[in-house]
Amino acid sequence: PIIESEGEWYIAYCPEIPGANGQGKTKDEARESLAQAIALIFEDRREEGLLGVPPDAI
């Protein structure tokens, strides 16, 4: 991830995953926030990607 300082906050983002960003008062908090955002994005994309898959697909 890329972590930048903005005043009292740290902003973390992942250029490879559009929309994935996090923030925190420390670098560790920003990194954890980013990890949570990535997990939510993947979960959403997984659900969206499976919408048209037949239930008996392997």
Side-chain angles (χ1 to χ4, degrees):
I2 296 172
I3 301 176
E4 299 176 347
S5 175
E6 289 195 18
E8 296 182 15
W9 290 89
Y10 287 93
I11 308 299
Y13 60 96
C14 183
E16 298 88 356
I17 305 172
N21 57 68
Q23 64 183 16
K25 291 281 189 174
T26 66
K27 290 180 185 178
D28 286 338
E29 285 179 3
R31 188 177 292 113
E32 178 61 28
S33 177
L34 173 61
Q36 292 172 0
I38 290 171
L40 288 172
I41 288 170
F42 283 171
E43 181 180 331
D44 184 60
R45 289 183 184 170
R46 186 178 313 111
E47 289 173 5
E48 190 175 298
L50 293 175
L51 286 177
V53 178
D56 60 344
I58 298 175

mmCIF file of all heavy atoms in Angstrom:
data_model
loop_
_atom_site.group_PDB
_atom_site.id
_atom_site.type_symbol
_atom_site.label_atom_id
_atom_site.label_comp_id
_atom_site.label_asym_id
_atom_site.label_seq_id
_atom_site.Cartn_x
_atom_site.Cartn_y
_atom_site.Cartn_z
ATOM 1 N N PRO A 1 0.828 -1.205 0.000
ATOM 2 C CA PRO A 1 0.000 0.000 0.000
ATOM 3 C C PRO A 1 0.867 1.261 0.000
ATOM 4 O O PRO A 1 2.042 1.228 0.357
ATOM 5 C CB PRO A 1 -0.800 -0.104 1.282
ATOM 6 C CG PRO A 1 0.055 -0.908 2.210
ATOM 7 C CD PRO A 1 0.796 -1.873 1.309
ATOM 8 N N ILE A 2 0.245 2.330 -0.357
ATOM 9 C CA ILE A 2 0.887 3.641 -0.278
ATOM 10 C C ILE A 2 0.244 4.366 0.899
ATOM 11 O O ILE A 2 -0.981 4.417 1.012
ATOM 12 C CB ILE A 2 0.683 4.425 -1.586
ATOM 13 C CG1 ILE A 2 1.387 3.676 -2.718
ATOM 14 C CG2 ILE A 2 1.211 5.852 -1.446
ATOM 15 C CD1 ILE A 2 1.109 4.219 -4.086
ATOM 16 N N ILE A 3 1.085 4.889 1.781
ATOM 17 C CA ILE A 3 0.583 5.595 2.968
ATOM 18 C C ILE A 3 1.183 6.990 2.971
ATOM 19 O O ILE A 3 2.401 7.150 2.890
ATOM 20 C CB ILE A 3 0.944 4.847 4.266
ATOM 21 C CG1 ILE A 3 0.344 3.435 4.241
ATOM 22 C CG2 ILE A 3 0.448 5.623 5.480
ATOM 23 C CD1 ILE A 3 0.717 2.572 5.415
ATOM 24 N N GLU A 4 0.315 7.979 3.057
ATOM 25 C CA GLU A 4 0.739 9.370 3.073
ATOM 26 C C GLU A 4 0.230 10.055 4.338
ATOM 27 O O GLU A 4 -0.819 9.689 4.864
ATOM 28 C CB GLU A 4 0.196 10.106 1.846
ATOM 29 C CG GLU A 4 0.686 9.530 0.535
ATOM 30 C CD GLU A 4 0.068 10.218 -0.667
ATOM 31 O OE1 GLU A 4 -0.911 10.976 -0.508
ATOM 32 O OE2 GLU A 4 0.563 9.988 -1.780
ATOM 33 N N SER A 5 0.967 11.045 4.781
ATOM 34 C CA SER A 5 0.576 11.823 5.944
ATOM 35 C C SER A 5 -0.161 13.076 5.477
ATOM 36 O O SER A 5 0.288 13.772 4.565
ATOM 37 C CB SER A 5 1.825 12.214 6.734
ATOM 38 O OG SER A 5 1.472 13.058 7.803
ATOM 39 N N GLU A 6 -1.320 13.327 6.102
ATOM 40 C CA GLU A 6 -2.087 14.549 5.820
ATOM 41 C C GLU A 6 -2.478 15.164 7.150
ATOM 42 O O GLU A 6 -3.458 14.758 7.771
ATOM 43 C CB GLU A 6 -3.315 14.231 4.973
ATOM 44 C CG GLU A 6 -2.970 13.864 3.548
ATOM 45 C CD GLU A 6 -4.178 13.911 2.624
ATOM 46 O OE1 GLU A 6 -5.190 14.540 2.969
ATOM 47 O OE2 GLU A 6 -4.086 13.310 1.549
ATOM 48 N N GLY A 7 -1.691 16.097 7.597
ATOM 49 C CA GLY A 7 -1.941 16.701 8.900
ATOM 50 C C GLY A 7 -1.748 15.674 9.996
ATOM 51 O O GLY A 7 -0.711 15.033 10.080
ATOM 52 N N GLU A 8 -2.775 15.482 10.806
ATOM 53 C CA GLU A 8 -2.723 14.517 11.908
ATOM 54 C C GLU A 8 -3.143 13.113 11.472
ATOM 55 O O GLU A 8 -3.169 12.203 12.293
ATOM 56 C CB GLU A 8 -3.630 14.990 13.048
ATOM 57 C CG GLU A 8 -3.182 16.297 13.671
ATOM 58 C CD GLU A 8 -4.081 16.712 14.826
ATOM 59 O OE1 GLU A 8 -4.861 15.876 15.323
ATOM 60 O OE2 GLU A 8 -4.016 17.876 15.228
ATOM 61 N N TRP A 9 -3.502 12.931 10.223
ATOM 62 C CA TRP A 9 -4.021 11.652 9.732
ATOM 63 C C TRP A 9 -3.050 11.018 8.745
ATOM 64 O O TRP A 9 -2.275 11.688 8.071
ATOM 65 C CB TRP A 9 -5.358 11.857 9.031
ATOM 66 C CG TRP A 9 -6.453 12.207 9.974
ATOM 67 C CD1 TRP A 9 -6.809 13.457 10.386
ATOM 68 C CD2 TRP A 9 -7.306 11.301 10.652
ATOM 69 N NE1 TRP A 9 -7.848 13.379 11.273
ATOM 70 C CE2 TRP A 9 -8.180 12.066 11.446
ATOM 71 C CE3 TRP A 9 -7.446 9.924 10.663
ATOM 72 C CZ2 TRP A 9 -9.162 11.501 12.244
ATOM 73 C CZ3 TRP A 9 -8.424 9.352 11.457
ATOM 74 C CH2 TRP A 9 -9.267 10.140 12.229
ATOM 75 N N TYR A 10 -3.168 9.700 8.642
ATOM 76 C CA TYR A 10 -2.474 8.945 7.604
ATOM 77 C C TYR A 10 -3.538 8.391 6.660
ATOM 78 O O TYR A 10 -4.582 7.919 7.099
ATOM 79 C CB TYR A 10 -1.669 7.788 8.202
ATOM 80 C CG TYR A 10 -0.441 8.252 8.927
ATOM 81 C CD1 TYR A 10 -0.470 8.490 10.296
ATOM 82 C CD2 TYR A 10 0.749 8.474 8.248
ATOM 83 C CE1 TYR A 10 0.653 8.925 10.974
ATOM 84 C CE2 TYR A 10 1.885 8.913 8.914
ATOM 85 C CZ TYR A 10 1.827 9.135 10.272
ATOM 86 O OH TYR A 10 2.949 9.577 10.939
ATOM 87 N N ILE A 11 -3.266 8.505 5.376
ATOM 88 C CA ILE A 11 -4.164 8.007 4.346
ATOM 89 C C ILE A 11 -3.445 6.867 3.627
ATOM 90 O O ILE A 11 -2.307 7.026 3.189
ATOM 91 C CB ILE A 11 -4.519 9.118 3.331
ATOM 92 C CG1 ILE A 11 -5.019 10.377 4.044
ATOM 93 C CG2 ILE A 11 -5.509 8.611 2.292
ATOM 94 C CD1 ILE A 11 -6.252 10.202 4.867
ATOM 95 N N ALA A 12 -4.106 5.731 3.511
ATOM 96 C CA ALA A 12 -3.530 4.573 2.835
ATOM 97 C C ALA A 12 -4.400 4.221 1.630
ATOM 98 O O ALA A 12 -5.623 4.307 1.699
ATOM 99 C CB ALA A 12 -3.471 3.383 3.788
ATOM 100 N N TYR A 13 -3.747 3.875 0.530
ATOM 101 C CA TYR A 13 -4.511 3.444 -0.629
ATOM 102 C C TYR A 13 -3.721 2.422 -1.430
ATOM 103 O O TYR A 13 -2.515 2.262 -1.257
ATOM 104 C CB TYR A 13 -4.942 4.629 -1.488
ATOM 105 C CG TYR A 13 -3.818 5.470 -2.036
ATOM 106 C CD1 TYR A 13 -3.323 5.246 -3.319
ATOM 107 C CD2 TYR A 13 -3.265 6.503 -1.301
ATOM 108 C CE1 TYR A 13 -2.298 6.022 -3.832
ATOM 109 C CE2 TYR A 13 -2.246 7.283 -1.799
ATOM 110 C CZ TYR A 13 -1.767 7.048 -3.075
ATOM 111 O OH TYR A 13 -0.753 7.824 -3.568
ATOM 112 N N CYS A 14 -4.451 1.743 -2.282
ATOM 113 C CA CYS A 14 -3.875 0.678 -3.097
ATOM 114 C C CYS A 14 -4.227 0.992 -4.550
ATOM 115 O O CYS A 14 -5.373 0.798 -4.955
ATOM 116 C CB CYS A 14 -4.444 -0.668 -2.663
ATOM 117 S SG CYS A 14 -3.754 -2.059 -3.544
ATOM 118 N N PRO A 15 -3.282 1.481 -5.338
ATOM 119 C CA PRO A 15 -3.585 1.880 -6.714
ATOM 120 C C PRO A 15 -4.115 0.732 -7.582
ATOM 121 O O PRO A 15 -4.839 0.963 -8.535
ATOM 122 C CB PRO A 15 -2.258 2.388 -7.262
ATOM 123 C CG PRO A 15 -1.292 2.390 -6.158
ATOM 124 C CD PRO A 15 -1.896 1.698 -4.988
ATOM 125 N N GLU A 16 -3.780 -0.501 -7.234
ATOM 126 C CA GLU A 16 -4.231 -1.646 -8.024
ATOM 127 C C GLU A 16 -5.709 -1.973 -7.827
ATOM 128 O O GLU A 16 -6.296 -2.708 -8.616
ATOM 129 C CB GLU A 16 -3.411 -2.907 -7.683
ATOM 130 C CG GLU A 16 -1.938 -2.792 -7.997
ATOM 131 C CD GLU A 16 -1.119 -2.190 -6.842
ATOM 132 O OE1 GLU A 16 -1.698 -1.791 -5.819
ATOM 133 O OE2 GLU A 16 0.104 -2.122 -6.991
ATOM 134 N N ILE A 17 -6.297 -1.436 -6.746
ATOM 135 C CA ILE A 17 -7.702 -1.722 -6.446
ATOM 136 C C ILE A 17 -8.441 -0.386 -6.352
ATOM 137 O O ILE A 17 -8.424 0.273 -5.307
ATOM 138 C CB ILE A 17 -7.846 -2.518 -5.130
ATOM 139 C CG1 ILE A 17 -7.006 -3.783 -5.187
ATOM 140 C CG2 ILE A 17 -9.315 -2.828 -4.850
ATOM 141 C CD1 ILE A 17 -6.929 -4.541 -3.897
ATOM 142 N N PRO A 18 -9.084 0.040 -7.444
ATOM 143 C CA PRO A 18 -9.793 1.319 -7.438
ATOM 144 C C PRO A 18 -10.800 1.405 -6.290
ATOM 145 O O PRO A 18 -11.544 0.458 -6.027
ATOM 146 C CB PRO A 18 -10.507 1.339 -8.793
ATOM 147 C CG PRO A 18 -9.694 0.436 -9.656
ATOM 148 C CD PRO A 18 -9.187 -0.640 -8.723
ATOM 149 N N GLY A 19 -10.789 2.511 -5.592
ATOM 150 C CA GLY A 19 -11.710 2.735 -4.486
ATOM 151 C C GLY A 19 -11.233 2.233 -3.143
ATOM 152 O O GLY A 19 -11.869 2.485 -2.131
ATOM 153 N N ALA A 20 -10.101 1.526 -3.134
ATOM 154 C CA ALA A 20 -9.587 0.990 -1.869
ATOM 155 C C ALA A 20 -8.738 2.043 -1.178
ATOM 156 O O ALA A 20 -7.688 2.430 -1.668
ATOM 157 C CB ALA A 20 -8.767 -0.275 -2.118
ATOM 158 N N ASN A 21 -9.225 2.528 -0.050
ATOM 159 C CA ASN A 21 -8.465 3.493 0.741
ATOM 160 C C ASN A 21 -8.860 3.371 2.201
ATOM 161 O O ASN A 21 -9.907 2.841 2.532
ATOM 162 C CB ASN A 21 -8.663 4.922 0.217
ATOM 163 C CG ASN A 21 -10.117 5.313 0.190
ATOM 164 O OD1 ASN A 21 -10.737 5.456 1.237
ATOM 165 N ND2 ASN A 21 -10.684 5.471 -0.997
ATOM 166 N N GLY A 22 -7.985 3.841 3.052
ATOM 167 C CA GLY A 22 -8.234 3.815 4.486
ATOM 168 C C GLY A 22 -7.565 4.997 5.148
ATOM 169 O O GLY A 22 -6.757 5.697 4.531
ATOM 170 N N GLN A 23 -7.891 5.215 6.387
ATOM 171 C CA GLN A 23 -7.292 6.326 7.118
ATOM 172 C C GLN A 23 -7.157 5.967 8.581
ATOM 173 O O GLN A 23 -7.825 5.069 9.079
ATOM 174 C CB GLN A 23 -8.122 7.594 6.966
ATOM 175 C CG GLN A 23 -9.508 7.488 7.577
ATOM 176 C CD GLN A 23 -10.326 8.737 7.338
ATOM 177 O OE1 GLN A 23 -10.007 9.553 6.491
ATOM 178 N NE2 GLN A 23 -11.396 8.903 8.091
ATOM 179 N N GLY A 24 -6.289 6.681 9.258
ATOM 180 C CA GLY A 24 -6.102 6.454 10.682
ATOM 181 C C GLY A 24 -5.153 7.472 11.278
ATOM 182 O O GLY A 24 -4.458 8.193 10.563
ATOM 183 N N LYS A 25 -5.129 7.524 12.583
ATOM 184 C CA LYS A 25 -4.233 8.442 13.292
ATOM 185 C C LYS A 25 -2.791 7.945 13.294
ATOM 186 O O LYS A 25 -1.872 8.701 13.542
ATOM 187 C CB LYS A 25 -4.706 8.644 14.736
ATOM 188 C CG LYS A 25 -5.994 9.416 14.856
ATOM 189 C CD LYS A 25 -5.730 10.895 14.709
ATOM 190 C CE LYS A 25 -6.983 11.684 15.055
ATOM 191 N NZ LYS A 25 -6.739 13.109 15.061
ATOM 192 N N THR A 26 -2.614 6.643 13.022
ATOM 193 C CA THR A 26 -1.272 6.067 12.918
ATOM 194 C C THR A 26 -1.178 5.312 11.591
ATOM 195 O O THR A 26 -2.198 5.014 10.949
ATOM 196 C CB THR A 26 -0.990 5.074 14.064
ATOM 197 O OG1 THR A 26 -1.861 3.944 13.912
ATOM 198 C CG2 THR A 26 -1.195 5.715 15.429
ATOM 199 N N LYS A 27 0.045 4.988 11.197
ATOM 200 C CA LYS A 27 0.227 4.213 9.964
ATOM 201 C C LYS A 27 -0.445 2.851 10.079
ATOM 202 O O LYS A 27 -1.054 2.374 9.121
ATOM 203 C CB LYS A 27 1.722 4.038 9.666
ATOM 204 C CG LYS A 27 2.405 5.310 9.234
ATOM 205 C CD LYS A 27 3.881 5.055 8.969
ATOM 206 C CE LYS A 27 4.599 6.354 8.661
ATOM 207 N NZ LYS A 27 6.039 6.149 8.443
ATOM 208 N N ASP A 28 -0.331 2.231 11.246
ATOM 209 C CA ASP A 28 -0.952 0.921 11.450
ATOM 210 C C ASP A 28 -2.475 0.995 11.342
ATOM 211 O O ASP A 28 -3.106 0.114 10.763
ATOM 212 C CB ASP A 28 -0.544 0.320 12.791
ATOM 213 C CG ASP A 28 0.885 -0.187 12.796
ATOM 214 O OD1 ASP A 28 1.432 -0.465 11.704
ATOM 215 O OD2 ASP A 28 1.462 -0.312 13.898
ATOM 216 N N GLU A 29 -3.075 2.043 11.898
ATOM 217 C CA GLU A 29 -4.525 2.210 11.801
ATOM 218 C C GLU A 29 -4.939 2.408 10.348
ATOM 219 O O GLU A 29 -5.948 1.850 9.902
ATOM 220 C CB GLU A 29 -4.994 3.399 12.637
ATOM 221 C CG GLU A 29 -5.005 3.156 14.120
ATOM 222 C CD GLU A 29 -5.464 4.370 14.911
ATOM 223 O OE1 GLU A 29 -5.833 5.414 14.306
ATOM 224 O OE2 GLU A 29 -5.444 4.298 16.149
ATOM 225 N N ALA A 30 -4.181 3.198 9.613
ATOM 226 C CA ALA A 30 -4.493 3.427 8.200
ATOM 227 C C ALA A 30 -4.359 2.137 7.400
ATOM 228 O O ALA A 30 -5.198 1.826 6.551
ATOM 229 C CB ALA A 30 -3.575 4.511 7.631
ATOM 230 N N ARG A 31 -3.331 1.362 7.682
ATOM 231 C CA ARG A 31 -3.115 0.088 6.993
ATOM 232 C C ARG A 31 -4.259 -0.892 7.296
ATOM 233 O O ARG A 31 -4.778 -1.557 6.406
ATOM 234 C CB ARG A 31 -1.773 -0.506 7.407
ATOM 235 C CG ARG A 31 -1.355 -1.717 6.611
ATOM 236 C CD ARG A 31 0.016 -2.232 7.002
ATOM 237 N NE ARG A 31 1.075 -1.302 6.626
ATOM 238 C CZ ARG A 31 1.835 -0.624 7.485
ATOM 239 N NH1 ARG A 31 1.681 -0.779 8.781
ATOM 240 N NH2 ARG A 31 2.772 0.185 7.057
ATOM 241 N N GLU A 32 -4.686 -0.960 8.550
ATOM 242 C CA GLU A 32 -5.789 -1.846 8.932
ATOM 243 C C GLU A 32 -7.099 -1.385 8.287
ATOM 244 O O GLU A 32 -7.890 -2.208 7.818
ATOM 245 C CB GLU A 32 -5.936 -1.895 10.456
ATOM 246 C CG GLU A 32 -7.074 -2.756 10.941
ATOM 247 C CD GLU A 32 -6.975 -4.216 10.548
ATOM 248 O OE1 GLU A 32 -5.846 -4.722 10.367
ATOM 249 O OE2 GLU A 32 -8.027 -4.864 10.396
ATOM 250 N N SER A 33 -7.326 -0.093 8.257
ATOM 251 C CA SER A 33 -8.513 0.455 7.616
ATOM 252 C C SER A 33 -8.527 0.105 6.130
ATOM 253 O O SER A 33 -9.570 -0.260 5.573
ATOM 254 C CB SER A 33 -8.554 1.972 7.821
ATOM 255 O OG SER A 33 -9.653 2.552 7.162
ATOM 256 N N LEU A 34 -7.382 0.193 5.479
ATOM 257 C CA LEU A 34 -7.262 -0.172 4.071
ATOM 258 C C LEU A 34 -7.555 -1.661 3.884
ATOM 259 O O LEU A 34 -8.282 -2.048 2.964
ATOM 260 C CB LEU A 34 -5.870 0.168 3.548
ATOM 261 C CG LEU A 34 -5.552 -0.304 2.124
ATOM 262 C CD1 LEU A 34 -6.499 0.324 1.114
ATOM 263 C CD2 LEU A 34 -4.102 -0.004 1.788
ATOM 264 N N ALA A 35 -7.016 -2.499 4.740
ATOM 265 C CA ALA A 35 -7.250 -3.947 4.645
ATOM 266 C C ALA A 35 -8.744 -4.256 4.755
ATOM 267 O O ALA A 35 -9.272 -5.104 4.021
ATOM 268 C CB ALA A 35 -6.465 -4.682 5.724
ATOM 269 N N GLN A 36 -9.436 -3.580 5.649
ATOM 270 C CA GLN A 36 -10.877 -3.785 5.800
ATOM 271 C C GLN A 36 -11.620 -3.331 4.546
ATOM 272 O O GLN A 36 -12.564 -3.993 4.093
ATOM 273 C CB GLN A 36 -11.391 -3.046 7.032
ATOM 274 C CG GLN A 36 -10.899 -3.627 8.330
ATOM 275 C CD GLN A 36 -11.263 -2.766 9.537
ATOM 276 O OE1 GLN A 36 -11.882 -1.721 9.416
ATOM 277 N NE2 GLN A 36 -10.851 -3.215 10.709
ATOM 278 N N ALA A 37 -11.200 -2.202 3.979
ATOM 279 C CA ALA A 37 -11.832 -1.705 2.759
ATOM 280 C C ALA A 37 -11.637 -2.688 1.611
ATOM 281 O O ALA A 37 -12.576 -2.970 0.853
ATOM 282 C CB ALA A 37 -11.263 -0.331 2.389
ATOM 283 N N ILE A 38 -10.440 -3.238 1.479
ATOM 284 C CA ILE A 38 -10.158 -4.207 0.419
ATOM 285 C C ILE A 38 -11.024 -5.450 0.603
ATOM 286 O O ILE A 38 -11.595 -5.969 -0.363
ATOM 287 C CB ILE A 38 -8.662 -4.556 0.382
ATOM 288 C CG1 ILE A 38 -7.863 -3.348 -0.117
ATOM 289 C CG2 ILE A 38 -8.403 -5.781 -0.492
ATOM 290 C CD1 ILE A 38 -6.363 -3.499 0.004
ATOM 291 N N ALA A 39 -11.156 -5.929 1.820
ATOM 292 C CA ALA A 39 -11.983 -7.106 2.091
ATOM 293 C C ALA A 39 -13.436 -6.850 1.681
ATOM 294 O O ALA A 39 -14.081 -7.713 1.072
ATOM 295 C CB ALA A 39 -11.899 -7.495 3.558
ATOM 296 N N LEU A 40 -13.962 -5.666 1.992
ATOM 297 C CA LEU A 40 -15.337 -5.330 1.627
ATOM 298 C C LEU A 40 -15.500 -5.236 0.114
ATOM 299 O O LEU A 40 -16.500 -5.696 -0.441
ATOM 300 C CB LEU A 40 -15.764 -4.014 2.287
ATOM 301 C CG LEU A 40 -15.996 -4.069 3.786
ATOM 302 C CD1 LEU A 40 -16.228 -2.662 4.344
ATOM 303 C CD2 LEU A 40 -17.164 -4.972 4.117
ATOM 304 N N ILE A 41 -14.528 -4.645 -0.560
ATOM 305 C CA ILE A 41 -14.577 -4.534 -2.017
ATOM 306 C C ILE A 41 -14.584 -5.922 -2.643
ATOM 307 O O ILE A 41 -15.387 -6.221 -3.531
ATOM 308 C CB ILE A 41 -13.400 -3.683 -2.546
ATOM 309 C CG1 ILE A 41 -13.631 -2.214 -2.191
ATOM 310 C CG2 ILE A 41 -13.231 -3.863 -4.055
ATOM 311 C CD1 ILE A 41 -12.424 -1.319 -2.443
ATOM 312 N N PHE A 42 -13.697 -6.808 -2.197
ATOM 313 C CA PHE A 42 -13.641 -8.167 -2.740
ATOM 314 C C PHE A 42 -14.938 -8.928 -2.471
ATOM 315 O O PHE A 42 -15.429 -9.656 -3.327
ATOM 316 C CB PHE A 42 -12.447 -8.929 -2.188
ATOM 317 C CG PHE A 42 -11.137 -8.542 -2.810
ATOM 318 C CD1 PHE A 42 -9.964 -9.007 -2.273
ATOM 319 C CD2 PHE A 42 -11.063 -7.728 -3.920
ATOM 320 C CE1 PHE A 42 -8.735 -8.672 -2.830
ATOM 321 C CE2 PHE A 42 -9.845 -7.381 -4.497
ATOM 322 C CZ PHE A 42 -8.680 -7.865 -3.947
ATOM 323 N N GLU A 43 -15.495 -8.765 -1.277
ATOM 324 C CA GLU A 43 -16.752 -9.437 -0.945
ATOM 325 C C GLU A 43 -17.859 -8.972 -1.888
ATOM 326 O O GLU A 43 -18.623 -9.783 -2.421
ATOM 327 C CB GLU A 43 -17.130 -9.153 0.502
ATOM 328 C CG GLU A 43 -18.401 -9.824 0.954
ATOM 329 C CD GLU A 43 -18.730 -9.516 2.408
ATOM 330 O OE1 GLU A 43 -17.807 -9.285 3.201
ATOM 331 O OE2 GLU A 43 -19.932 -9.511 2.732
ATOM 332 N N ASP A 44 -17.944 -7.667 -2.109
ATOM 333 C CA ASP A 44 -18.961 -7.102 -2.987
ATOM 334 C C ASP A 44 -18.771 -7.601 -4.420
ATOM 335 O O ASP A 44 -19.729 -7.992 -5.085
ATOM 336 C CB ASP A 44 -18.909 -5.574 -2.936
ATOM 337 C CG ASP A 44 -20.000 -4.946 -3.762
ATOM 338 O OD1 ASP A 44 -21.188 -5.204 -3.484
ATOM 339 O OD2 ASP A 44 -19.665 -4.191 -4.711
ATOM 340 N N ARG A 45 -17.542 -7.596 -4.893
ATOM 341 C CA ARG A 45 -17.267 -8.058 -6.263
ATOM 342 C C ARG A 45 -17.554 -9.544 -6.407
ATOM 343 O O ARG A 45 -18.023 -9.985 -7.454
ATOM 344 C CB ARG A 45 -15.819 -7.747 -6.640
ATOM 345 C CG ARG A 45 -15.588 -6.269 -6.842
ATOM 346 C CD ARG A 45 -14.188 -5.977 -7.277
ATOM 347 N NE ARG A 45 -13.987 -4.533 -7.373
ATOM 348 C CZ ARG A 45 -12.829 -3.947 -7.543
ATOM 349 N NH1 ARG A 45 -11.726 -4.684 -7.655
ATOM 350 N NH2 ARG A 45 -12.731 -2.647 -7.618
ATOM 351 N N ARG A 46 -17.253 -10.327 -5.382
ATOM 352 C CA ARG A 46 -17.523 -11.762 -5.421
ATOM 353 C C ARG A 46 -19.022 -12.001 -5.538
ATOM 354 O O ARG A 46 -19.488 -12.782 -6.382
ATOM 355 C CB ARG A 46 -16.974 -12.443 -4.174
ATOM 356 C CG ARG A 46 -17.079 -13.946 -4.184
ATOM 357 C CD ARG A 46 -16.479 -14.602 -2.937
ATOM 358 N NE ARG A 46 -15.158 -14.094 -2.576
ATOM 359 C CZ ARG A 46 -14.897 -13.357 -1.491
ATOM 360 N NH1 ARG A 46 -15.854 -13.044 -0.642
ATOM 361 N NH2 ARG A 46 -13.683 -12.931 -1.229
ATOM 362 N N GLU A 47 -19.805 -11.326 -4.706
ATOM 363 C CA GLU A 47 -21.257 -11.486 -4.743
ATOM 364 C C GLU A 47 -21.808 -11.059 -6.093
ATOM 365 O O GLU A 47 -22.652 -11.744 -6.673
ATOM 366 C CB GLU A 47 -21.913 -10.682 -3.617
ATOM 367 C CG GLU A 47 -21.665 -11.257 -2.237
ATOM 368 C CD GLU A 47 -22.171 -10.368 -1.112
ATOM 369 O OE1 GLU A 47 -22.803 -9.326 -1.400
ATOM 370 O OE2 GLU A 47 -21.930 -10.712 0.051
ATOM 371 N N GLU A 48 -21.327 -9.934 -6.601
ATOM 372 C CA GLU A 48 -21.777 -9.423 -7.894
ATOM 373 C C GLU A 48 -21.397 -10.392 -9.018
ATOM 374 O O GLU A 48 -22.179 -10.644 -9.928
ATOM 375 C CB GLU A 48 -21.149 -8.050 -8.154
ATOM 376 C CG GLU A 48 -21.723 -7.331 -9.339
ATOM 377 C CD GLU A 48 -21.142 -5.935 -9.463
ATOM 378 O OE1 GLU A 48 -21.331 -5.125 -8.538
ATOM 379 O OE2 GLU A 48 -20.482 -5.668 -10.477
ATOM 380 N N GLY A 49 -20.196 -10.945 -8.949
ATOM 381 C CA GLY A 49 -19.726 -11.861 -9.974
ATOM 382 C C GLY A 49 -20.471 -13.184 -9.985
ATOM 383 O O GLY A 49 -20.539 -13.849 -11.019
ATOM 384 N N LEU A 50 -21.032 -13.564 -8.853
ATOM 385 C CA LEU A 50 -21.741 -14.842 -8.776
ATOM 386 C C LEU A 50 -23.226 -14.743 -9.080
ATOM 387 O O LEU A 50 -23.922 -15.758 -9.106
ATOM 388 C CB LEU A 50 -21.557 -15.450 -7.372
ATOM 389 C CG LEU A 50 -20.130 -15.883 -7.020
ATOM 390 C CD1 LEU A 50 -20.058 -16.341 -5.576
ATOM 391 C CD2 LEU A 50 -19.656 -16.987 -7.959
ATOM 392 N N LEU A 51 -23.722 -13.558 -9.355
ATOM 393 C CA LEU A 51 -25.164 -13.384 -9.584
ATOM 394 C C LEU A 51 -25.697 -14.244 -10.733
ATOM 395 O O LEU A 51 -26.779 -14.795 -10.636
ATOM 396 C CB LEU A 51 -25.492 -11.909 -9.853
ATOM 397 C CG LEU A 51 -25.443 -10.995 -8.636
ATOM 398 C CD1 LEU A 51 -25.715 -9.557 -9.048
ATOM 399 C CD2 LEU A 51 -26.468 -11.437 -7.599
ATOM 400 N N GLY A 52 -24.959 -14.368 -11.820
ATOM 401 C CA GLY A 52 -25.454 -15.106 -12.971
ATOM 402 C C GLY A 52 -24.988 -16.550 -13.035
ATOM 403 O O GLY A 52 -25.257 -17.251 -14.002
ATOM 404 N N VAL A 53 -24.288 -17.021 -12.014
ATOM 405 C CA VAL A 53 -23.757 -18.381 -12.023
ATOM 406 C C VAL A 53 -24.847 -19.351 -11.559
ATOM 407 O O VAL A 53 -25.464 -19.153 -10.515
ATOM 408 C CB VAL A 53 -22.516 -18.479 -11.092
ATOM 409 C CG1 VAL A 53 -21.994 -19.895 -11.046
ATOM 410 C CG2 VAL A 53 -21.432 -17.525 -11.559
ATOM 411 N N PRO A 54 -25.065 -20.416 -12.351
ATOM 412 C CA PRO A 54 -26.079 -21.404 -11.940
ATOM 413 C C PRO A 54 -25.695 -22.061 -10.602
ATOM 414 O O PRO A 54 -24.519 -22.244 -10.307
ATOM 415 C CB PRO A 54 -26.049 -22.451 -13.051
ATOM 416 C CG PRO A 54 -25.270 -21.850 -14.160
ATOM 417 C CD PRO A 54 -24.442 -20.747 -13.607
ATOM 418 N N PRO A 55 -26.676 -22.417 -9.790
ATOM 419 C CA PRO A 55 -26.377 -22.983 -8.467
ATOM 420 C C PRO A 55 -25.617 -24.305 -8.515
ATOM 421 O O PRO A 55 -24.944 -24.668 -7.563
ATOM 422 C CB PRO A 55 -27.752 -23.168 -7.827
ATOM 423 C CG PRO A 55 -28.762 -22.895 -8.872
ATOM 424 C CD PRO A 55 -28.082 -22.249 -10.036
ATOM 425 N N ASP A 56 -25.709 -25.039 -9.632
ATOM 426 C CA ASP A 56 -25.006 -26.321 -9.709
ATOM 427 C C ASP A 56 -23.622 -26.207 -10.343
ATOM 428 O O ASP A 56 -22.961 -27.211 -10.580
ATOM 429 C CB ASP A 56 -25.854 -27.345 -10.489
ATOM 430 C CG ASP A 56 -26.155 -26.907 -11.910
ATOM 431 O OD1 ASP A 56 -25.992 -25.699 -12.220
ATOM 432 O OD2 ASP A 56 -26.564 -27.757 -12.711
ATOM 433 N N ALA A 57 -23.162 -24.999 -10.592
ATOM 434 C CA ALA A 57 -21.818 -24.804 -11.165
ATOM 435 C C ALA A 57 -20.753 -25.178 -10.145
ATOM 436 O O ALA A 57 -20.926 -25.014 -8.943
ATOM 437 C CB ALA A 57 -21.641 -23.357 -11.592
ATOM 438 N N ILE A 58 -19.658 -25.675 -10.658
ATOM 439 C CA ILE A 58 -18.550 -26.083 -9.789
ATOM 440 C C ILE A 58 -17.546 -24.959 -9.684
ATOM 441 O O ILE A 58 -17.151 -24.340 -10.594
ATOM 442 C CB ILE A 58 -17.870 -27.358 -10.309
ATOM 443 C CG1 ILE A 58 -18.878 -28.495 -10.300
ATOM 444 C CG2 ILE A 58 -16.655 -27.699 -9.495
ATOM 445 C CD1 ILE A 58 -18.378 -29.788 -10.894
#
